[in-house]
Amino acid sequence: MSRLFALSGKGGVGKTTLAGLFIRSLVEIGKKPVLAIDADPNSCLGDMLGVRVRSTIGSARETVRDESEAQKISKQELLRMKIAQSLAESSGFDLISMGRPEGPGCYCYANNVLKLAIKELSDQYPYVVLDNEAGLENLSRRIVQSVDALTLVSDASNAGMNTLGRLYGLAREMGVGFRKLVLIVNRTRGGELPESATRVQHDTGAQKIIALPYDEEIATLAEESRPVWEVSDGNRIYKKILELMREIG
Ligand SMILES: Nc1ncnc2c1ncn2[C@@H]1O[C@H](COP(=O)(O)OP(=O)(O)OP(=O)(O)O)[C@@H](O)[C@H]1O
Ligand SMILES: [Mg+2]
């Protein structure tokens, strides 16, 4: 059984950056190989990890639709092959990008293909990190079976903190299953938790809530279009994520 860590939150709060650091930390502490799943159609997890993505599950699905008639091979088999070819391999982790969930054709079919592909792939890895698009769409579509640790990311604003509570409520309402809940308040000014943190932790029953400061090195890497994977070993955000992964991984 693989352990799955999923990150969600509203747009631009740092989900993909933190997913990159989750993956680097897991690899660093020997919890590998990790399967990194980029579940955002406007994907950039590959960029954060310094890995080139050539094709996605979405594009594999579309080629299969067009090619399986021409080749004497079953759709399912061809799809497996194409998905395996879409896997980008790196040291300690592999990356798969989901691409667009819905294409032309039946939405349910597309969704089922995704689910099956993710399940088959995930079963081959002891650790899986899922970077989601903003919101809870992917989790509510049940593209993964069971999440071990759901990480909700927010900024420190009052609105951001309220969003955490709302996302938690939505996750419960939509029956998203998870064993542990972690809240991360990212890009805070002094690295301190806002006052409302205690209330939000209490309301959500989160096992853990941590604050991460605004970090110059991470901002510079992004400005220079360099992967967050390259962050220095002594970086304080990286060290905090390492600590978190040791604890929950
Ligand atoms: N702690 C931090 N300090 C400084 N910059 C940060 C920090 N965390 C994230 N960033 C920057 O914030 C920007 C948005 O981060 P990121 O792309 O990870 O957010 P996201 O939640 O994945 O966005 P989206 O919803 O578009 O997928 C990036 O430029 C990233 O480098
Ligand atoms: Mg993102």
Side-chain angles (χ1 to χ4, degrees):
M1 263 284 277
S2 43
R3 310 196 84 182
L4 193 137
F5 305 94
L7 293 103
S8 289
K10 60 177 191 168
V13 289
K15 300 176 293 293
T16 306
T17 304
L18 296 174
L21 294 176
F22 273 32
I23 295 158
R24 172 152 162 206
S25 301
L26 287 169
V27 172
E28 171 65 28
I29 59 181
K31 300 201 181 287
K32 57 182 181 177
V34 179
L35 175 66
I37 304 177
D38 188 346
D40 187 345
N42 304 307
S43 8
C44 63
L45 183 59
D47 296 340
M48 291 283 183
L49 297 169
V51 168
R52 168 95 75 81
V53 175
R54 282 194 214 88
S55 70
T56 66
I57 297 184
S59 58
R61 193 188 61 226
E62 271 158 41
T63 4
V64 166
R65 202 194 44 211
D66 302 338
E67 283 179 19
S68 71
E69 312 266 301
Q71 298 183 26
K72 299 244 169 299
I73 181 169
S74 81
K75 263 191 179 172
Q76 202 68 19
E77 215 173 309
L78 188 60
L79 187 63
R80 276 206 184 93
M81 265 170 52
K82 296 276 176 197
I83 288 172
Q85 286 164 7
S86 304
L87 203 62
E89 294 175 6
S90 191
S91 58
F93 71 91
D94 294 341
L95 169 71
I96 188 84
S97 296
M98 288 187 1
R100 302 229 139 262
E102 69 270 59
C106 172
Y107 181 81
C108 305
Y109 168 69
N111 198 19
N112 285 339
V113 165
L114 254 179
K115 263 197 221 171
L116 198 73
I118 299 279
K119 164 112 186 59
E120 280 190 6
L121 263 181
S122 300
D123 284 348
Q124 300 166 34
Y125 295 80
Y127 295 90
V128 181
V129 175
L130 180 77
D131 175 33
N132 285 293
E133 61 189 336
L136 288 166
E137 181 89 348
N138 285 322
L139 295 177
S140 67
R141 281 192 290 125
R142 302 289 174 87
I143 57 146
V144 289
Q145 262 67 28
S146 71
V147 177
D148 283 283
L150 174 63
T151 301
L152 298 179
V153 189
S154 161
D155 55 39
S157 70
N158 213 24
M161 295 304 288
N162 288 337
T163 305
L164 282 183
R166 240 191 339 264
L167 280 175
Y168 166 77
L170 267 176
R172 300 303 305 219
E173 221 172 89
M174 296 192 297
V176 175
F178 52 88
R179 292 204 188 90
K180 275 185 196 149
L181 180 68
V182 175
L183 306 179
I184 297 185
V185 189
N186 189 26
R187 271 189 325 222
T188 59
R189 235 177 287 160
E192 304 288 320
L193 282 168
E195 263 175 37
S196 53
T198 323
R199 171 182 54 82
V200 175
Q201 186 174 18
H202 176 265
D203 291 351
T204 57
Q207 276 74 20
K208 187 115 192 124
I209 180 163
I210 58 172
L212 299 174
Y214 175 86
D215 186 78
E216 285 294 341
E217 188 188 2
I218 287 181
T220 305
L221 285 172
E223 275 165 26
E224 295 175 356
S225 302
R226 284 163 58 202
V228 76
W229 181 268
E230 286 179 10
V231 81
S232 60
D233 288 340
N235 180 278
R236 55 196 172 152
I237 308 265
Y238 174 51
K239 279 165 112 178
K240 278 210 156 184
I241 299 298
L242 257 178
E243 204 180 296
L244 178 68
M245 289 300 108
R246 283 204 181 93
E247 214 175 297
I248 65 171

